[in-house]
Amino acid sequence: IAVAAGDWHTCAIDVGGDVWCWGMNNCGQLGAGDHDTLENRPSPFRVEGLPPCITLAAGEYHTCAVTIEGQVWCWGENRRGQLGDGTTNASEKPVRVKKLPKVTDLFTTSYGACARTTGGAVFCWGDVSGFEMTPRPVPAEVMKNAEGLWAQGNVVCAGTRGGEHQWWGSNHEGLIAPHTDAPRATIETPQVVPQLAGAIEIAPGRDGMCFLLESGEVRCRGTGFEGLLGNNTASSVLEITERDSVAVEGISDAVAIGRGGNRACAMRKNGEVLCWGSQWGDDPDTRRRTKPFEVPGLDNVESIAAGRGATCVVRRDGTVWCWGRGAEGQMGRGDRLTNSKPRQVPGVAGVEEITMSTFTVCARGGGNTWCWGSAGREPIFTAQDGRALSPVSVSTDVFDKVSATNLGSK
């Protein structure tokens, strides 16, 4: 099973290759087809008309999936051509992306998508950067001989067979390539960006970004609001204060990073977690951290994910621990309390992977998937106050119940 979370919706693939979606459906991003008129769904709904799928990705208001044959199908919003079907018409049903060879990797940006083919070529469609004025409804080849593909926010990166990383997408406020003539320009052609040489992961935000280097060092640029640069400085306003990146203090052995809201975190090689920026808690002296501090009570961490105001990790024993803002149920502990320190999420075990969107958390492991929180404006499940305050088992309880409902309605 695979899980992908957009801004306001979530989709998953079950062991049989079927795709299920739930959450907000204002643009048809759930793929419900003729079964409703853009009705929001608090429980998973099976997307019909798809061949068996192996992976999927979710943009802001669209969803795409890769079939076992390497085809790509998309559905939802399409004003910027993000469905890749040659039109700009939204679709509540999956449509096949046109003129695309067999695909191995797929990533979405907010309003676009990119895929790497079995031959190593990368094709993109829609509005990858978020700033393009002309829709691109048909995939266009942007580079050859890519070894890997990765995207987050409105930035795309591909590794080459020569060991370089090439970047393209949004250059909002010059945050990818800071010294360009037009700092808000879109970088349309993949290029090696000297300022990001050696970067293997980026964590973008609205007004800044942090990136992890192969050396284990973490660097940030953009706003210094609430200490987000991690260099022992802070700004009281959300504005660009550093176009050139600065080193985050005291980190030389990071293996993963995450950024959500006004907080950033890094996971070290030894399984410890360091965070900086705005922290949730009752102590005004520790709410703003201008340089990294070790998160208390955490060790043996395997992976980290960040949402808006909340952070969750998976430990080597398969347990999930979360801290931060819990107003939407992100802590998964049956309440809406804010936790200043990590607390274990009860009811989940053997977790191998965790995914966070704005207010939704999903964890996967051992053939099971659990989700909790909220899809922002709509509940992810029928639960107290329209939120899943505790983990709900998606792959067992919900898939079985919804499958029976769908079959009965045909």
Side-chain angles (χ1 to χ4, degrees), residues 103-153:
V103 163
T104 59
D105 296 324
L106 171 71
F107 287 90
T108 53
T109 63
S110 296
Y111 308 108
C114 292
R116 185 174 71 96
T117 70
T118 54
V122 175
F123 289 79
C124 295
W125 60 96
D127 181 358
V128 171
S129 72
F131 289 100
E132 296 178 25
M133 301 302 294
T134 303
R136 298 187 178 187
V138 177
E141 183 176 322
V142 296
M143 68 175 291
K144 300 180 182 293
N145 300 322
E147 282 290 309
L149 183 67
W150 180 87
Q152 187 169 349

Side-chain angles (χ1 to χ4, degrees), residues 18-185:
D18 286 334
V19 176
W20 302 75
C21 295
W22 61 95
M24 179 171 284
N25 193 37
N26 58 320
C27 297
Q29 60 265 48
L30 302 188
D34 296 330
H35 289 275
D36 59 32
T37 55
L38 302 180
E39 176 186 351
N40 299 325
R41 296 253 175 195
S43 297
F45 186 94
R46 184 169 63 87
V47 180
E48 298 176 358
L50 277 175
C53 295
I54 56 175
T55 190
L56 76 168
E60 186 166 338
Y61 298 113
H62 72 291
T63 311
C64 296
V66 179
T67 72
I68 58 175
E69 299 297 330
Q71 303 170 355
V72 178
W73 294 68
C74 299
W75 56 95
E77 174 58 55
N78 197 29
R79 285 181 295 176
R80 306 194 195 189
Q82 54 263 58
L83 302 188
D85 66 341
T87 76
T88 54
N89 301 321
S91 178
E92 300 171 44
K93 298 179 180 180
V95 293
R96 185 174 174 181
V97 177
K98 291 187 173 182
K99 300 180 180 180
L100 193 61
K102 188 175 182 179
V103 163
T104 59
D105 296 324
L106 171 71
F107 287 90
T108 53
T109 63
S110 296
Y111 308 108
C114 292
R116 185 174 71 96
T117 70
T118 54
V122 175
F123 289 79
C124 295
W125 60 96
D127 181 358
V128 171
S129 72
F131 289 100
E132 296 178 25
M133 301 302 294
T134 303
R136 298 187 178 187
V138 177
E141 183 176 322
V142 296
M143 68 175 291
K144 300 180 182 293
N145 300 322
E147 282 290 309
L149 183 67
W150 180 87
Q152 187 169 349
N154 290 316
V155 177
V156 186
C157 175
T160 68
R161 293 173 184 172
E164 295 180 329
H165 292 87
Q166 297 194 14
W167 303 79
W168 66 99
S170 171
N171 194 37
H172 176 60
E173 297 290 357
L175 290 176
I176 297 178
H179 301 295
T180 59
D181 294 333
R184 290 181 66 94

Side-chain angles (χ1 to χ4, degrees), residues 337-349:
L337 300 177
T338 290
N339 292 332
S340 59
K341 297 180 181 179
R343 300 187 70 184
Q344 184 176 350
V345 178
V348 298

